[in-house]
Amino acid sequence: MGFGGTDAPQVPPESISYYGFKRAADDIKELARQLGVPRIILGGHDWGGAIAYRVALWHPEFITHLFVVCTPYSAPTKKLKSFEELVKTRLPNFKYQLQLASGDIEKVIHSRDQLRQFLNALYGGKGPNGELGFTAREGLLVENLPKLGPSRIISEKCLDYYADEYARNGIHSTLNWYRTREVNFKEELKLKKITIDIPVLFICATKDEALPPAMSANMEQHLPDLTRKEVAASHWALWEKPEEVNKVINEWLEGVAFSGKTSQELHDAFNTLVSSSSSQRGLIAGISKEQLVPLETISSSSIDFLDDLTALEPVLKENEAAYIILRRYQNALDGYVAVTYVPDTANVRQKMLFASTRLTLTRELGTERFRETIFATTRQELTAEGWRKHDMHVELKAPLTEEEQILQGVKEAEAEASQGTSARSSHVSSGLSFPLSTAALAALKGLSEGQENLVQLKINVARESVELADASSTDADGLASCISGTDPRYSFFRYSHDFDGQEQAPVIFIYTCPSESKIKERMLYASSRAGVIAAASGEARLEITKKFEASSPSEVTASMIHEEFHPKHEQKQAFSRPKRPGKR
């Protein structure tokens, strides 16, 4: 309410409750109802995060998962405290909210250009001598607005768009959100429960001055199924670190919200297909209770693959997604094709579930079995004619540019070097093998002898050698902050810990290569990885127990390392299909 193209009632004469949390929660519920979606996953940032929590409180049957960036959960209370007193004693970082709620800003910010200056200040625009236009502890510094240069966080084009949207109704409606504390308090007295039991992801911005990390302490008290992650960013994490934030959300969704597994029944059905020789062409699979399950088999009536495709037509539906496993190349180990069929008319939940579990299907059945994976949205694509067009398209791949050829070489080198996180045995690949410098070798030997427990190596391209970047000591919690986040590194870490009363100190290898690394660096590090491991194992006599790969050191957390060595063995409760919400 009050933003973009939404309504913007003037207060007064209208009630401030139009801008309250309950009204926003009800609006989101109604929007989903009109779209025909009974349950949703909801996310938000800043005010959007606060609303997301409240939707889960007011309509708990409606939300399955929450993810929130920056905004900590503040549970409803039974007593309304003076906000002025809270700012004075506990929340000085909220002083800006007193100013925005006061009405003073509307008196000086009127025109579209003034709105643009206001927004530029919020997004960190600075003057020639470092003057700020806005701080959490002071609010808007109106006198500095004309001095500010462009924000480094947001583009001029985007800022223009925001200014145009704000100019629809002026700034009054958006600032009404800072005047709803009392109405929210009164309405939330009716809530029967203030704990949110569904899975919640909270992404903390470590440099957020408006919502500092300390505000999120003790959230587990009311969020029992909470996952915490963080990004090194200010309050505007979505603008500063979009790829990093999206990666965290995506990994959480795949691991928590869409953590489908292949059932034993599907494994058995696939094994039957593999051993059936020529009597069976394929099988159809679906998702039931968060598991991938077989639905029916596709028999074979011809030795010709394209002729057998007619058997798909009666079993595929225009509004239901499905997985299709087909035997295309007879008597070949990788003779199978995995098709993810998601028609445009399938509901939103199906689309999300199938898109997020398609890699699970091939990974758990064995990626070596599948020569090709295909995504289809219409039944016509899976006819003989559609398959012929697909084959022609594959055969007519455009020639690669020089940069694309280099990138392809990088990917091949990374794929060859990659062994996942398990400690499977490896041989030295045909890639590059630079010698270790004397200092690097000495540091690795020191690691085996119990000196520093973290050794970082780097490649010196000019000298064509692997050299010591740093040797230090840290624990698993501080590991990520010790490894360079801007340059590729080979890191060897002695993981000293106690488990079930026994002291353990295995050595793990961590290869980190930031996504912004130069192409040549990526190729050299990927190609040299196996040689470095071999030298550490042979010359330094290190017994490497686990190997990790990551784009950023922040991905290698203490909990992840612990679970690699001591995985949890727990029975996961099956997901029950939610009941349709009753009439209100």
Side-chain angles (χ1 to χ4, degrees):
M1 184 72 71
F3 287 86
T6 62
D7 292 336
Q10 188 77 15
V11 180
E14 299 295 343
S15 170
I16 192 66
S17 63
Y18 279 111
Y19 296 91
F21 287 148
K22 186 177 188 306
R23 174 61 185 255
D26 291 345
D27 284 348
I28 292 174
K29 174 71 181 296
E30 176 61 19
L31 174 62
R33 187 193 68 80
Q34 293 193 24
L35 292 172
V37 181
R39 304 189 80 194
I40 66 170
I41 296 170
L42 188 61
H45 166 260
D46 195 70
W47 279 120
I51 292 170
Y53 292 128
R54 262 47 189 183
V55 178
L57 288 178
W58 285 109
H59 303 289
E61 80 291 344
F62 171 55
I63 307 295
T64 64
H65 300 75
L66 285 179
F67 61 90
V68 176
V69 182
C70 292
T71 316
Y73 176 57
S74 179
T77 63
K78 295 296 183 181
K79 183 179 180 180
L80 182 63
K81 298 180 181 179
S82 164
F83 192 54
E84 289 78 4
E85 187 64 24
L86 284 175
V87 170
K88 183 178 179 180
T89 58
R90 290 174 49 198
L91 298 172
N93 50 294
F94 272 9
K95 188 175 181 180
Y96 74 96
Q97 294 196 15
L98 289 175
Q99 182 199 41
L100 296 181
S102 68
D104 293 342
I105 301 301
E106 286 102 319
K107 296 175 183 178
V108 294
I109 304 297
H110 304 289
S111 69
R112 188 262 185 199
D113 288 343
Q114 289 172 331
L115 283 167
R116 194 182 189 283
Q117 289 180 335
F118 169 75
L119 293 169
N120 186 50
L122 290 184
Y123 283 101
K126 292 184 180 180
N129 298 312
E131 300 94 336
L132 297 175
F134 181 89
T135 70
R137 293 175 180 257
E138 297 176 87
L140 188 68
L141 305 174
V142 179
E143 66 277 9
N144 287 346
L145 295 187
K147 308 175 186 177
L148 304 182
S151 165
R152 295 182 179 181
I153 298 174
I154 189 172
S155 70
E156 293 289 285
K157 182 178 180 180
C158 194
L159 195 62
D160 284 335
Y161 175 78
Y162 286 177
D164 290 340
E165 291 298 303
Y166 270 75
R168 289 174 183 262
N169 300 297
I171 202 171
H172 169 79
S173 59
T174 58
L175 296 187
N176 278 332
W177 283 86
Y178 296 94
R179 301 169 180 136
T180 59
R181 194 164 179 270
E182 183 175 353
V183 70
N184 287 334
F185 166 76
K186 291 179 178 179
E187 290 181 334
E188 289 172 359
L189 289 174
K190 303 173 185 177
L191 286 170
K192 296 180 180 179
K193 189 175 182 180
I194 61 174
T195 297
I196 300 175
D197 295 322
I198 59 174
V200 178
L201 168 66
F202 173 66
I203 303 176
C204 171
T206 59
K207 302 176 184 178
D208 192 337
E209 296 181 357
L211 299 170
M215 289 187 65
S216 68
N218 304 318
M219 290 204 312
E220 287 80 359
Q221 179 181 352
H222 295 106
L223 305 177
D225 196 354
L226 176 66
T227 299
R228 290 179 178 268
K229 297 291 181 180
E230 62 180 40
V231 292
S234 75
H235 183 70
W236 306 113
L238 302 183
W239 289 260
E240 293 177 358
K241 299 288 182 70
E243 292 183 359
E244 192 171 335
V245 172
N246 284 336
K247 182 179 181 182
V248 171
I249 294 172
N250 185 63
E251 290 178 350
W252 179 77
L253 288 173
E254 288 185 352
V256 177
F258 308 132
S259 56
K261 299 295 182 183
T262 303
S263 67
Q264 185 59 48
E265 291 80 5
L266 183 54
H267 278 285
D268 293 342
F270 182 64
N271 290 334
T272 300
L273 171 63
V274 172
S275 61
S276 65
S277 184
S278 60
S279 62
Q280 189 179 332
R281 178 59 68 181
L283 61 92
I284 307 292
I287 300 175
S288 176
K289 296 182 179 180
E290 285 198 347
Q291 283 198 323
L292 307 184
V293 297
L295 299 179
E296 55 185 294
T297 60
I298 304 297
S299 60
S300 177
S301 59
S302 171
I303 61 172
D304 189 292
F305 170 75
L306 296 180
D307 288 345
D308 275 347
L309 292 177
T310 55
L312 290 177
E313 186 173 354
V315 297
L316 295 182
K317 299 178 181 179
E318 292 187 353
N319 60 350
E320 290 187 15
Y323 289 119
I324 308 163
I325 301 173
L326 298 171
R327 186 209 319 271
R328 184 169 192 189
Y329 308 99
Q330 195 72 24
N331 301 323
L333 176 65
D334 64 342
Y336 299 87
V337 179
V339 181
T340 304
Y341 169 67
V342 183
D344 292 333
T345 51
N347 63 48
V348 175
R349 179 169 173 77
Q350 280 193 64
K351 290 178 179 178
M352 290 193 298
L353 284 174
F354 277 80
S356 64
T357 54
R358 61 192 182 97
L359 295 180
T360 301
L361 177 75
T362 54
R363 183 176 64 245
E364 295 201 5
L365 293 182
T367 53
E368 72 281 0
R369 289 285 190 180
F370 296 92
R371 189 174 302 187
E372 193 172 13
T373 58
I374 296 174
F375 191 90
T377 58
T378 66
R379 291 189 294 182
Q380 288 71 28
E381 294 175 76
L382 302 177
T383 63
E385 182 60 28
W387 217 282
R388 290 190 188 98
K389 290 180 179 179
H390 166 75
D391 288 344
M392 290 177 62
H393 176 75
V394 171
E395 292 172 2
L396 293 175
K397 286 183 177 179
L400 300 178
T401 64
E402 182 178 0
E403 183 177 3
E404 289 171 335
Q405 291 175 16
I406 295 174
L407 281 171
Q408 185 180 51
V410 171
K411 292 177 180 178
E412 289 174 353
E414 290 176 339
E416 180 181 345
S418 175
Q419 296 293 324
T421 60
S422 64
R424 294 174 289 184
S425 60
S426 172
H427 64 278
V428 179
S429 74
S430 58
L432 298 174
S433 183
F434 292 140
L436 269 62
S437 69
T438 302
L441 186 57
L444 290 177
K445 289 181 177 178
L447 186 70
S448 65
E449 295 166 0
Q451 298 177 17
E452 288 90 354
N453 69 348
L454 175 63
V455 174
Q456 298 180 60
L457 306 183
K458 63 182 180 180
I459 294 178
N460 186 319
V461 178
R463 296 180 181 176
E464 295 189 348
S465 64
V466 177
E467 301 185 349
L468 178 66
D470 186 55
S472 60
S473 290
T474 183
D475 57 15
D477 288 315
L479 178 61
S481 62
C482 291
I483 299 176
S484 173
T486 57
D487 299 302
R489 287 289 184 266
Y490 300 126
S491 300
F492 296 83
F493 176 59
R494 190 174 66 251
Y495 177 43
S496 300
H497 65 288
D498 179 272
F499 184 72
D500 285 345
Q502 294 185 348
E503 288 289 334
Q504 302 181 16
V507 174
I508 63 176
F509 171 79
I510 306 165
Y511 166 43
T512 52
C513 188
S515 57
E516 61 268 21
S517 301
K518 296 178 181 178
I519 291 176
K520 186 174 182 180
E521 285 183 328
R522 290 176 59 191
M523 177 173 284
L524 286 174
Y525 275 84
S527 300
S528 304
R529 174 182 181 274
V532 170
I533 293 173
S537 301
E539 298 178 54
R541 300 187 180 281
L542 284 179
E543 182 179 345
I544 300 170
T545 310
K546 297 278 185 181
K547 307 182 188 79
F548 296 87
E549 279 191 30
S551 297
S552 168
S554 62
E555 299 172 33
V556 186
T557 63
S559 60
M560 184 193 77
I561 295 173
H562 180 81
E563 289 177 9
E564 279 290 329
F565 283 94
H566 312 292
K568 296 178 181 179
H569 300 286
E570 57 183 31
Q571 188 70 27
K572 185 175 179 181
Q573 185 175 356
F575 174 77
S576 299
R577 182 184 295 276
K579 297 179 180 179
R580 291 179 60 85
K583 296 182 179 178
R584 295 182 61 188

